[in-house]
Amino acid sequence: MARVYNFSAGPAVLPEEVLKEAAEEMMDYRGCGMSVMEMSHRSKTYQTIIDEAEADLRELIGIPDNYKVLFLQGGASQQFAMIPMNLMKNKVADYIVTGQWAKKAWQEASKYGKANKIASSEDKTFSYIPDCSDLPVSEDADYVYICENNTIYGTKFKTLPNTKGKTLVADVSSCFLSEPVDITKYGVMYGGVQKNIGPAGVVIVIIREDLITEDVLPGTPTMLQYKTHVDAGSLYNTPPAYGIYICGKVFKWLKKMGGLTAIKELNEKKAAILYDFLDESKLFKGTVRKEDRSLMNVPFITGSEELDTKFVKEAKAAGLESLKGHRSVGGMRASIYNAMPVAGVEKLVEFMKKFEAENA
């Protein structure tokens, strides 16, 4: 069958050329007579794969030497605990809650110390980003935490919060590598790769060296200490080897596309096609305050649950997959990550116009 346009929020669309390349190498990776899926993570061949992946990621973002790159397991959700376990020296941290994942991270951190919710957009169903220019940052806070792009609600921090000198920790799962970023503004940046970079099972953590110490909360498991993984070059135990290999291919694809500046331009073009239609549509409307709109996740509604259900069903039949909104908000959501082609967004808008004409 023909490939569909996959608007899933994650696991999500991957670049076709990456999938084809992986398919070609599935039985025999570069003449070694086996698949990367079968390969020892202690082999020289695999060491080259993970080293190249890290080098390409460093080049894409511009990561300086005083930051470490880790390829870990447990998904972004495991970082909700790992961050306070490793960073909460004073047992105080400040959280900006702009969606379900930031809220879960805040709740998890509350188990390890005093987690202060210093700003939130929950009052309007997380449909905006609060003003973070002058927040009541705690004097003894070990860090300030954000989820930079909110997959479920379709909001994005366009300006990073003023942390008043405190370390910024950011979950960037759904906007990872979608635009240029100044990593030096962050102490820790992390994300599950299954939205914009690779298959589920890998979380990438970029962490400043001074935050990696043996001074962790008592009882922190060996596997949940950043130093464990830094010292072992992400190979302390068997890593998600095949997932990292695919991430490496996506990094090379991004470099070939022209890097993060070029991919941001492409993402802005795709988002404009969809948002411009939503702004003029009589039937569909976006749910996010304009200035806080994400380039990656676009939620929208018709105002009728019945019509929303009909739309999702008919869109699926037309080869437009996974447009149902998250169960907590309903409606629809189109995730238009790096690998979603412009043609996919154009096809979606074309279908939306047809649906509107038929259901006006």
Side-chain angles (χ1 to χ4, degrees):
M1 69 174 279
R3 273 176 69 76
V4 297
Y5 286 117
N6 176 15
F7 293 94
S8 170
V13 60
L14 283 164
E16 276 197 24
E17 66 181 79
V18 166
L19 295 174
K20 284 174 181 166
E21 208 176 282
E24 283 165 19
E25 293 174 349
M26 179 55 83
M27 298 297 288
D28 178 9
Y29 177 73
R30 301 187 182 174
C32 74
M34 67 174 111
S35 171
V36 174
M37 218 177 256
E38 309 169 282
M39 191 180 286
S40 166
H41 62 295
R42 302 289 179 204
S43 66
K44 277 187 180 172
T45 309
Y46 191 75
Q47 189 66 55
T48 302
I49 289 170
I50 195 169
D51 288 348
E52 267 189 33
E54 179 178 337
D56 287 337
L57 179 61
R58 283 184 175 278
E59 188 183 326
L60 278 166
I61 295 178
I63 302 174
D65 291 344
N66 67 323
Y67 281 76
K68 298 295 184 187
V69 174
L70 298 171
F71 297 96
L72 304 177
Q73 300 177 69
S77 295
Q78 186 159 286
Q79 294 304 308
F80 299 168
M82 208 162 164
I83 284 155
M85 282 176 166
N86 285 265
L87 304 188
M88 248 194 195
K89 316 294 186 195
N90 297 323
K91 293 216 170 175
V92 180
D94 289 349
Y95 280 69
I96 299 167
V97 177
T98 52
Q100 187 168 310
W101 302 115
K103 188 177 180 178
K104 285 187 173 181
W106 165 70
Q107 287 168 335
E108 190 69 15
S110 300
K111 296 175 181 178
Y112 301 101
K114 191 181 176 197
N116 302 305
K117 195 195 288 187
I118 57 168
S120 173
S121 53
E122 197 165 5
D123 61 325
K124 292 183 180 170
T125 328
F126 300 122
S127 59
Y128 71 100
I129 298 289
D131 177 6
C132 297
S133 58
D134 186 20
L135 295 170
V137 176
S138 312
E139 273 185 35
D140 53 351
D142 292 300
Y143 58 87
V144 175
Y145 182 102
I146 61 168
C147 179
E148 195 163 321
N149 187 89
N150 295 286
T151 323
I152 294 173
Y153 303 94
T155 58
K156 164 82 164 69
F157 279 83
K158 303 294 169 71
T159 305
L160 293 175
N162 174 8
T163 64
K164 300 182 179 175
K166 300 296 180 186
T167 296
L168 178 65
V169 175
D171 174 354
V172 297
S173 295
S174 53
C175 60
F176 221 157
L177 302 185
S178 63
E179 58 182 35
V181 61
D182 179 359
I183 191 69
T184 63
K185 290 181 176 173
Y186 305 77
V188 181
M189 174 193 279
Y190 77 89
V193 305
Q194 72 279 5
K195 298 173 183 295
N196 214 23
I197 299 173
V202 185
V203 59
I204 295 173
V205 177
I206 304 166
I207 178 168
R208 207 173 59 226
E209 246 172 7
D210 61 285
L211 300 172
I212 305 156
T213 68
E214 286 173 351
D215 176 22
V216 295
L217 294 187
T220 299
T222 304
M223 275 294 287
L224 296 185
Q225 296 178 29
Y226 290 124
K227 193 170 189 307
T228 299
H229 300 285
V230 168
D231 290 350
S234 296
L235 297 169
Y236 174 74
N237 66 325
T238 310
Y242 194 80
I244 295 166
Y245 153 78
I246 298 290
C247 291
K249 287 201 176 299
V250 172
F251 300 154
K252 289 198 185 300
W253 174 77
L254 279 167
K255 285 169 67 178
K256 193 171 146 191
M257 293 286 284
L260 301 190
T261 302
I263 208 73
K264 185 187 184 190
E265 284 172 19
L266 185 63
N267 288 331
E268 286 174 335
K269 180 183 176 182
K270 288 185 295 187
I273 293 167
L274 185 46
Y275 284 126
D276 288 351
F277 169 70
L278 286 171
D279 289 342
E280 66 185 34
S281 172
K282 300 276 193 289
L283 178 64
F284 298 100
K285 71 167 190 285
T287 57
V288 172
R289 188 167 73 176
K290 273 190 185 181
E291 57 266 41
D292 299 324
R293 285 171 166 175
S294 165
L295 293 179
M296 298 284 99
N297 311 100
V298 185
F300 56 97
I301 53 170
T302 63
S304 155
E305 276 186 38
E306 198 181 323
L307 271 184
D308 288 354
T309 304
K310 186 183 181 195
F311 175 83
V312 171
K313 188 181 174 186
E314 291 182 8
K316 185 180 173 74
L320 304 166
E321 190 66 47
S322 301
L323 282 162
K324 191 172 193 259
H326 191 272
R327 62 188 178 276
S328 64
V329 290
M332 284 75 67
R333 170 182 54 183
S335 293
I336 50 176
Y337 297 123
N338 289 347
M340 172 58 67
V342 173
V345 183
E346 288 173 340
K347 176 94 188 282
L348 171 60
V349 169
E350 186 187 308
F351 177 79
M352 289 168 79
K353 284 177 179 171
K354 176 174 172 282
F355 186 88
E356 181 166 338
E358 289 169 358
N359 294 274

